[in-house]
Each structure stands twice: as structure tokens, then as C-alpha cells.
Amino acid sequence: MENSRKIVKAINILKETADFKIIGDILTEEDFNKIEWVVSTNGDQAVLSTTCPHSELSWSAVKTEMDKL
Amino acid sequence: MALTRLGLNQSINLATNTTGDLNLSSQVTGTLATGNGGTGATSFAPGKVGQVLQAITTSGVTIQSTSYVDIGLSQAITPSATSSKILIMATVQGSPVIATNAQIIARYNINKDGSTHYEWNRAIGHSVGVDNTGGAGVYQIAPLTYLSSPNTTSAVTYKIQAKLVDSTANSRTIYAQDDSSASMLTLMEILA
């Protein structure tokens, strides 16, 4: 499974309700820290932050799930 | 040289009744009536396209959100007059993917200077589940066209955005520019 599909599945296993935007492939912790998480909305626009609001979604936890896939 | 005065409803056939050159810019005045195949116009307006700009991206963007996020396709334009219109033409590639046998629908939006400008409620999607554990995708291209009236001579930025219509449950995901497939945005200023 290609990387972009794999990380979505890994995130959803750990936190099904997480909303996010990913640019490019996530191969390292540095890449993971660039994921933009939806933290709130302004009308119909997403308000994004690179600070993950979900404690379950650390790089190590996501990487562990990705390696199982 | 013999001169003939034309009467009402008489005409000269330039192809057979004249010799020499006729200077259209100095020797011809008046208007060719529409009834005689003319336009009725006394002047000619120049072309109406002021400028054309284009942005192209092949950078993949993964979106799992029910509120609008940028797909990485943006273009600014500065109209030359407040009366100008901007013809927006976009070709947006995206793969809607869902993990279970259910429906996924993605909505696209043209964002103008940070606000929703025009949206397509059912841009792409499908109602047969595609298990993304297999890495499968439903590759789709949406052509988006809209005529905008910005009413300004200041720079205006148009962006393409996407979001999921239903929830993000079942791993509903939009893969914009999937597998580095191109999306493009063209802006054309149409003068009044």
C-alpha cells in the first residue's frame, strides 16, 4: 500500500475522528510534524494547525500502525 | 471622367463598376447597414481578453475534513479595470476513497480572497466502497468554470478547495493530485 494511503489508515485506526490535510508523503517525524490538523472551523473554512490536538497521534504511534500495514 | 448620380436604392458594384484603388481609411465614410450585410457599427472594439494566467500543481494533498481546505492550487490576478470579469477555468484531479462499502462525495469550492466564492456540492465521488487497504483509487477529474466579477483593480487571489460532504467516518478521504496527476487553474480577464 502506498504511503499516502497507509498513513490515513494508521491515523484513522488511532483516532477515527481526526480531520487533517497532508501535503506529500510522510516518511519521517519531520514530515509528520508538517501535517495540518483541523482544529476548528470559521464558517465553512477549516482552521488548520500543525500542532496535533489528539494525544493519541504521536509519530511513534502512527509509525507503529503504519509498519503493521 | 463621367460621373453618375445614384438614385435612391441604386448601388455601385465595387467589383465590376469601378477601377483603380479605393482607400478605405480616407475615402469611405458612413455605416454599412445590417440589412446590407453590415454590422451597423461605426467603430470597431478591440479584443476583449486582457490577460491570461495559469497555475499548475502535481503535488499530492490528502484531505480528511468536512470543512474546506486548500488543495494547493492558487492564482492571483490584478484586474485592469473594475468593470472586468475574470473567467475561472480549473481542471481538478482527485481520488475519493472510502474504506467500507458506503458513499463518499467531495465538494469543491472556488475560494476568493479567503472566502467561499462558488461551490460544487457534488463535485466528485462514488457510492461503491473501495477498500483503501488495497491502495485502490477512483481517479476523477472535475472541470470547474465560473465567471467572477471582482469589481476591483487590486490583486485578487483565487484558490481551489475541497471537503467531504458526509462525515470523515470509514476513512473517507480525498487524494488531490493523486499519484502526482496534475490539477490546473486558469484565470482570464475579460474586458468590458
Side-chain angles (χ1 to χ4, degrees):
Chain A
M1 189 194 317
E2 68 178 279
N3 178 275
S4 61
R5 265 59 169 173
K6 194 179 283 189
I7 190 161
V8 167
K9 189 165 182 65
I11 290 172
N12 289 157
I13 288 170
L14 295 168
K15 185 72 177 179
E16 186 180 15
T17 58
D19 288 9
F20 52 86
K21 169 187 173 182
I22 300 171
I23 300 174
D25 287 336
I26 304 299
L27 304 174
T28 67
E29 184 169 11
E30 184 180 3
D31 296 334
F32 181 79
N33 290 335
K34 293 177 183 174
I35 294 176
E36 295 177 84
W37 305 94
V38 178
V39 293
S40 62
T41 57
N42 180 12
D44 60 359
Q45 301 288 312
V47 176
L48 302 169
S49 171
T50 54
T51 301
C52 181
H54 310 292
S55 58
E56 306 92 327
L57 297 176
S58 65
W59 167 242
S60 60
V62 172
K63 181 71 166 58
T64 299
E65 290 299 328
M66 289 175 72
D67 291 342
K68 294 177 188 174
L69 298 172
Chain B
M1 180 171 59
L3 294 174
T4 301
R5 180 177 178 178
L6 295 177
L8 191 63
N9 297 325
Q10 288 185 306
S11 62
I12 295 175
N13 186 324
L14 293 175
T16 59
N17 300 142
T18 63
T19 59
D21 296 327
L22 179 63
N23 188 322
L24 293 174
S25 63
S26 63
Q27 296 176 308
V28 176
T29 60
T31 304
L32 182 58
T34 55
N36 293 336
T39 63
T42 57
S43 63
F44 178 72
K48 294 290 188 180
V49 176
Q51 55 181 316
V52 182
L53 302 169
Q54 186 174 64
I56 299 176
T57 182
T58 58
S59 297
V61 175
T62 303
I63 296 166
Q64 196 168 97
S65 172
T66 53
S67 47
Y68 278 122
V69 298
D70 300 349
I71 68 161
L73 190 56
S74 165
Q75 178 65 55
I77 189 169
T78 304
S80 60
T82 56
S83 57
S84 292
K85 295 184 183 300
I86 306 298
L87 180 59
I88 304 165
M89 296 173 287
T91 303
V92 182
Q93 195 282 335
S95 298
V97 174
I98 188 167
T100 55
N101 192 11
Q103 177 176 263
I104 177 171
I105 303 168
R107 185 172 292 180
Y108 283 160
N109 162 44
I110 293 175
N111 179 295
K112 174 173 162 283
D113 286 341
S115 299
T116 294
H117 193 42
Y118 194 85
E119 61 183 353
W120 283 260
N121 291 339
R122 301 288 185 269
I124 58 173
H126 60 87
S127 57
V128 178
V130 176
D131 187 348
N132 66 7
T133 58
V138 180
Y139 304 101
Q140 300 182 15
I141 288 180
L144 312 176
T145 304
Y146 183 68
L147 188 62
S148 177
S149 302
N151 192 30
T152 182
T153 54
S154 300
V156 179
T157 300
Y158 295 96
K159 298 186 294 186
I160 304 299
Q161 298 182 307
K163 71 175 184 178
L164 294 161
V165 171
D166 302 308
S167 71
T168 58
N170 300 315
S171 294
R172 286 185 176 92
T173 309
I174 306 161
Y175 294 91
Q177 293 86 241
D178 198 10
D179 287 340
S180 299
S181 185
S183 293
M184 55 192 69
L185 171 63
T186 304
L187 304 180
M188 185 180 295
E189 180 185 5
I190 308 297
L191 305 173

